[in-house]
Amino acid sequence: MDIKKKQVFVQLEIANRDNTDLPSSLVETCYSQREYENNMIEVHQVVDLGNHKGKSRYLIIINITQDLDNLGEEIDNPYIVKGP
């Protein structure tokens, strides 16, 4: 089994914290980092960066584990930029 692990840092900015479901936003953030259907993705940590210009800012640290022998189908993800 050939396993590849990486950590991704994503900044999340929320305009109105009272009207935002943070867990749903975290799920969407995780899905935006998937490259293959068999990727194991977990939120490692959420860091509150405080407010900036009236918006709540968070740093989301995501762990991604890939079994390179069983990646599954590639996901057409507009958030992932592929190399040339």
Side-chain angles (χ1 to χ4, degrees):
M1 187 184 286
D2 191 12
I3 300 293
K4 176 183 175 184
K5 294 184 178 194
K6 65 180 176 179
Q7 205 167 54
V8 178
F9 303 90
V10 179
Q11 186 171 323
L12 177 65
E13 193 170 86
I14 298 176
N16 188 342
R17 192 170 157 178
D18 294 332
N19 290 336
T20 302
D21 182 22
L22 186 58
S24 293
S25 297
L26 291 174
V27 169
E28 289 177 30
T29 302
C30 286
Y31 277 114
S32 74
Q33 298 302 312
R34 288 183 69 198
E35 293 179 69
Y36 297 94
E37 65 181 15
N38 291 340
N39 284 162
M40 299 277 299
I41 298 179
E42 65 182 359
V43 175
H44 177 74
Q45 187 175 8
V46 177
V47 180
D48 187 349
L49 299 175
N51 292 328
H52 180 69
K53 296 183 182 179
K55 297 180 181 179
S56 299
R57 295 172 58 209
Y58 299 93
L59 178 66
I60 314 301
I61 303 171
I62 299 171
N63 292 333
I64 301 173
T65 304
Q66 294 178 322
D67 178 356
L68 298 178
D69 296 329
N70 184 23
L71 290 172
E73 294 293 318
E74 186 173 6
I75 295 174
D76 184 23
N77 191 337
Y79 300 104
I80 304 290
V81 177
K82 301 285 184 187

